[in-house]
Amino acid sequence: MTISIPSFISPVPTEELKFNANSIIIEDEGCEYLIGEAAGEESLKSQRQVGGSLKRPQYRRLLKGLVASILGEGKHKVTASLSASLQWIDLFRESVGQSFLSESNKNLLKEAISEIKFKTGSNLSPLKLCQVEIEENAFIFSEIQAVASAIPPQLKTYVLWQLGHGDLQQVVIIDGKPQTSTLAQAEGIAGAINKFAALTKLSESEALKAWHSNTIPEKNGMNGVRIDATKYKTMAINQYYNEVFASLINKNEKYKERATNIVLSGGGAKDEMFVSILKKEVESDGIYKLYKINELPVKDLRCDDPSFTCVNGLLSIIQNAGSKILALDVGNSYLKGDCK
């Protein structure tokens, strides 16, 4: 079951609260936590800590919420596959190049999801139990590697930009092989939103809402009127481009004779205004052409939703593992996963 839940986490309110499938309550060490859309609505301080590893308690709580949302009540036996950003992946494995969780991380994962107590629909609902048994191996791949695995194999030479809320990751692929010298990471959409917050003088939480609606509250207004924010959003995106994307393109200079097509994946590819401005900047010299991953010359169902290319890539990499594959992308903006 494909799942996408906003990465908010907060204490459970004491009064009755009803919520939809975009939220879940999990129990961890005797305490209950609200995860998802409802947590964002309940508390302005519900944001998760960026990044993380299985050693971080909050990361494990988010993971529990994601796994229980995907698998539901009952007993399950799966092969687990996780993704991590370039910045955090070494905290999951023994050494560079390995695609398995280290023994200590595998034990943390097993302990975290072996018995997940959770509630759906309401904080007054009875606790349910999701019991998960993990097969011998548990996999870990970088987000950029997973996304590249979802791209049609006929496309062999391109620049890949995986743009999420927390970070932007890059690699150049030449003849199907990643060029490790081009691996790079920078601040994600959050960097542009922070600039937007400064320009509009909004708090971080209000700026996030305003960014997605492209409206800002009228200054000193009392009637709840919101006005168009295009001017401020455009300024923020342009500032962000100058600081981030320009440096990535410079890093790829020696490959520009071949890798002239740029593939944009991740949640950032779904922000039409952002993509429009980025495309204008990137293609201005006539050297590069920017494609959203769901608009590639070769169609592939795995690329239909830019937000799920990482999950679909995880499923593709170990598709012959021999059992049900549980793919988990504990993102900074959304918790995403599937089981097939």
Side-chain angles (χ1 to χ4, degrees), residues 272-288:
E272 294 298 334
M273 184 176 174
F274 188 96
V275 173
S276 176
I277 294 173
L278 180 60
K279 190 176 181 71
K280 181 179 177 181
E281 292 278 1
V282 168
E283 297 182 352
S284 60
D285 293 328
I287 298 173
Y288 294 100

Side-chain angles (χ1 to χ4, degrees), residues 227-336:
I227 59 176
D228 184 76
T230 299
K231 178 180 74 172
Y232 298 106
K233 194 170 177 180
T234 300
M235 290 169 62
I237 294 170
N238 284 330
Q239 290 177 14
Y240 173 74
Y241 174 85
N242 291 336
E243 291 183 6
V244 176
F245 285 98
S247 64
L248 294 183
I249 289 176
N250 289 340
K251 194 176 183 69
N252 303 334
E253 188 71 16
K254 66 180 178 179
Y255 297 104
K256 71 178 183 182
E257 290 184 358
R258 296 201 59 198
T260 58
N261 294 301
I262 300 175
V263 178
L264 181 67
S265 181
K270 300 173 78 168
D271 188 321
E272 294 298 334
M273 184 176 174
F274 188 96
V275 173
S276 176
I277 294 173
L278 180 60
K279 190 176 181 71
K280 181 179 177 181
E281 292 278 1
V282 168
E283 297 182 352
S284 60
D285 293 328
I287 298 173
Y288 294 100
K289 185 171 179 60
L290 183 72
Y291 290 91
K292 293 196 297 182
I293 198 165
N294 56 323
E295 295 179 354
L296 294 171
V298 179
K299 298 299 179 184
D300 193 305
L301 290 175
R302 296 172 299 174
C303 299
D304 278 357
D305 186 335
S307 293
F308 274 93
T309 47
C310 180
V311 169
N312 290 334
L314 290 174
L315 293 170
S316 296
I317 295 174
I318 59 168
Q319 59 183 320
N320 298 318
S323 65
K324 289 176 66 176
I325 301 168
L326 178 64
L328 303 169
D329 176 12
V330 186
N332 293 306
S333 185
Y334 284 86
L335 310 173
K336 300 175 287 291

Side-chain angles (χ1 to χ4, degrees), residues 74-246:
K75 294 183 178 181
H76 312 274
K77 190 173 183 178
V78 300
T79 295
S81 182
L82 285 73
S83 68
S85 71
L86 295 170
Q87 181 181 0
W88 294 93
I89 191 168
D90 286 337
L91 294 180
F92 289 83
R93 58 192 185 184
E94 291 288 358
S95 59
V96 174
Q98 285 194 347
S99 57
F100 299 110
L101 289 179
S102 67
E103 194 65 27
S104 60
N105 275 297
K106 186 170 69 173
N107 290 336
L108 284 170
L109 177 63
K110 285 183 175 181
E111 183 181 353
I113 67 175
S114 61
E115 289 194 350
I116 307 172
K117 295 178 181 179
F118 69 100
K119 294 179 181 180
T120 57
S122 167
N123 58 338
L124 302 184
S125 299
L127 281 169
K128 301 177 183 180
L129 186 61
C130 174
Q131 296 175 289
V132 186
E133 180 184 346
I134 298 175
E135 298 279 15
E136 183 177 351
N137 292 320
F139 295 85
I140 180 70
F141 298 99
S142 71
E143 292 173 10
I144 203 84
Q145 181 182 1
V147 172
S149 297
I151 292 176
Q154 302 96 310
L155 306 179
K156 299 181 182 300
T157 299
Y158 53 88
V159 180
L160 176 58
W161 284 346
Q162 166 68 10
L163 178 59
H165 180 83
D167 60 16
L168 163 66
Q169 297 173 72
Q170 170 191 271
V171 69
V172 174
I173 308 290
I174 302 291
D175 297 330
K177 297 180 180 180
Q179 307 303 303
T180 55
S181 64
T182 64
L183 283 168
Q185 189 172 36
E187 192 172 21
I189 289 285
I193 296 175
N194 288 339
K195 295 184 182 302
F196 176 74
L199 289 167
T200 56
K201 296 180 172 57
L202 293 173
S203 67
E204 286 186 17
S205 57
E206 281 297 326
L208 183 62
K209 297 175 186 176
W211 178 274
H212 290 301
S213 68
N214 198 32
T215 63
I216 56 175
E218 185 179 37
K219 190 175 182 181
N220 299 324
M222 294 180 66
N223 300 317
V225 174
R226 300 184 72 86
I227 59 176
D228 184 76
T230 299
K231 178 180 74 172
Y232 298 106
K233 194 170 177 180
T234 300
M235 290 169 62
I237 294 170
N238 284 330
Q239 290 177 14
Y240 173 74
Y241 174 85
N242 291 336
E243 291 183 6
V244 176
F245 285 98

